[in-house]
Amino acid sequence: MWTDFSIGERVAPEVVQFCGQCFFCRRHEYALCPNWAAIGLMADGGLAEYALVPAFSCARLPDSPPDEEGALVEPTEVAVRAVRKCELRLGETVAVVGGGTIGMLTLQVARAAETSAA
């Protein structure tokens, strides 16, 4: 991760916030942090044009893709992780429950995994 950003630079933030100090954070088990929060759910910024997030939680975006596609970096990360965790194999059937952004991205990742699993 980067920490040397310039004002106005495009980044994709990790939406999960954690304390970094507790037992779980020291073990890199951030999802178990008792201070866990999600930007846009427990902290302001989910649909804001600007949000204040820790620099260490951001990844620098290149000049392309456009902002609208850059906003899909984190939800796509969730979809890729879900498909990897289910260990989808060529020819298997998968059910994606929910037709929101992450559900639709998961469907696309599952389809891509099927074609690249051969």
Side-chain angles (χ1 to χ4, degrees), residues 14-83:
E14 172 60 61
V15 299
V16 173
Q17 296 180 328
F18 48 87
C19 74
Q21 305 297 317
C22 72
F23 171 79
F24 296 109
C25 285
R26 289 193 309 269
R27 294 181 57 184
H28 303 282
E29 296 178 18
Y30 307 116
L32 300 176
C33 175
N35 299 307
W36 184 95
I39 296 171
L41 185 60
M42 293 105 160
D44 292 339
L47 296 174
E49 185 174 353
Y50 299 99
L52 182 62
V53 296
F56 72 83
S57 71
C58 296
R60 182 175 279 123
L61 289 175
D63 292 336
S64 62
D67 291 346
E68 295 80 11
E69 290 177 22
L72 294 174
V73 168
E74 192 277 336
T76 303
E77 173 188 353
V78 171
V80 169
R81 185 167 192 267
V83 171

